[in-house]
Amino acid sequence: MHFHNHFLTAFLATSASATVLVKYSAAAGDSPSALGLQNLEGWDFGGGKEPLPWPDNQPQNASVYFKNAKDPDGIAAAHVHKDYHFRRSEYHCLNKKTEVDTTYYIGYKVRFDNVDFATKAFQWKSYYDASAGYKDVIPAALIFRKDADGKDNHTIHFEAQTVAKNGNRKSYWTKALTMGKTYTFGIVVNTSRKSGYMSLYFNGKPATFLDPDSQATAQELEGDFYPDRADPKFGLYDGANFKACDSWVYDVVIGTELKDIADVVGIVL
């Protein structure tokens, strides 16, 4: 990992060419469908806990949903919920629309009330061409793991796979979160296959990555995060113990410059 001037460039960017690609604001009354394609998925216990595709004619129901509501404090938010026997309640953004050699700025304002071990709250999900013989992978994710005292699973990790097709995902940043508190995340993804990088903002401040192997630190993680195609996904996915999970999504913005997400993430330009 190395320091570069991408942060400085982002802060100084004032080009009129900035484009907001995706925008969801619960306070503005936006429908969650503004995020893109809804993904719901259940578990087939009789088949060895393999996931079941959600039937095309089956709408969200009381067991699994991503819908506008108000959080426990009365603030407008999308309530994301999945019961213990469900694997996925997400929205898939920019489906088949992301491009190579592009920088995406992703803003995410969210509160978590219940999370299971290994629940993913954000995925930068890659989809390979089946003819290439590769499986789908997740080059980056925000995922919950065990707390330091081992009692619960409220520590969120930024995990990334820097080698697109053959690497292993590692944890480069962690933060113990308080359930019922609102947080903001800013995720920057550059999809160059030769000089790609990712960076992270937490509550408006740049996060520092720590390589768990080399112990090197940096505010940008270099790598190829765009094997063939990769799209952002938000909500609740997976979980090892099949517990009911709940989160509240207030805002999601995806743009082409840092200023597109600054208000949502709390970044002072």
Side-chain angles (χ1 to χ4, degrees):
M1 294 192 296
H2 303 284
F3 289 101
H4 289 293
N5 63 356
H6 298 301
F7 271 85
L8 178 61
T9 301
F11 275 112
L12 295 177
T14 57
S15 170
S17 63
T19 302
V20 173
L21 304 171
V22 174
K23 187 178 188 299
Y24 167 75
S25 168
D30 295 339
S31 168
S33 63
L35 293 169
L37 176 66
Q38 188 176 31
N39 292 159
L40 306 172
E41 195 172 28
W43 290 103
D44 177 9
F45 286 109
K49 295 180 180 177
E50 291 299 319
L52 282 175
W54 199 249
D56 289 341
N57 60 350
Q58 173 65 62
Q60 58 188 355
N61 55 39
S63 295
V64 60
Y65 54 82
F66 193 133
K67 62 183 181 180
N68 279 345
K70 290 187 177 180
D71 74 10
D73 295 325
I75 300 171
H79 187 184
V80 186
H81 172 80
K82 63 183 185 72
D83 281 356
Y84 77 95
H85 55 292
F86 285 85
R87 186 188 194 195
R88 186 192 310 266
S89 181
E90 293 182 301
Y91 266 93
H92 180 166
C93 301
L94 300 178
N95 184 23
K96 299 181 182 179
K97 294 181 180 179
T98 58
E99 298 178 348
V100 71
D101 296 326
T102 304
T103 304
Y104 294 95
Y105 295 85
I106 300 167
Y108 186 24
K109 186 175 182 180
V110 61
R111 160 181 168 165
F112 304 99
D113 281 0
N114 304 294
V115 290
D116 196 1
F117 175 76
T119 298
K120 298 176 182 69
F122 165 80
Q123 298 185 76
W124 179 255
K125 177 73 176 288
S126 178
Y127 300 83
Y128 290 115
D129 184 341
S131 64
Y134 297 108
K135 296 180 180 179
D136 294 350
V137 297
I138 305 172
L142 290 171
I143 182 170
F144 284 93
R145 301 290 190 188
K146 282 287 185 185
D147 297 332
D149 61 10
K151 293 182 179 179
D152 223 319
N153 308 297
H154 297 159
T155 298
I156 200 164
H157 291 238
F158 182 87
E159 296 185 355
Q161 177 178 311
T162 59
V163 180
K165 297 182 179 180
N166 302 304
N168 294 317
R169 208 171 65 235
K170 300 188 294 186
S171 176
Y172 290 93
W173 176 88
T174 67
K175 185 70 176 180
L177 302 187
T178 299
M179 297 296 100
K181 184 176 179 179
T182 300
Y183 298 96
T184 68
F185 297 89
I187 302 157
V188 182
V189 186
N190 178 277
T191 60
S192 169
R193 294 200 171 108
K194 294 182 178 179
S195 56
Y197 62 89
M198 281 194 169
S199 55
L200 175 70
Y201 292 84
F202 176 71
N203 283 350
K205 303 296 183 182
T208 298
F209 295 129
L210 171 66
D211 189 306
D213 297 323
S214 69
Q215 298 299 298
T217 60
Q219 289 182 333
E220 289 173 359
L221 184 63
E222 297 177 337
D224 180 357
F225 303 105
Y226 198 78
D228 288 301
R229 168 192 159 208
D231 306 333
K233 305 186 77 172
F234 301 86
L236 297 168
Y237 171 65
D238 228 351
N241 300 314
F242 314 110
K243 294 179 180 178
C245 297
D246 291 273
S247 68
W248 304 87
V249 176
Y250 304 91
D251 294 275
V252 172
V253 178
I254 303 174
T256 57
E257 290 191 9
L258 187 65
K259 63 183 180 182
D260 296 332
I261 67 168
D263 288 346
V264 165
V265 177
I267 299 167
V268 178
L269 298 176

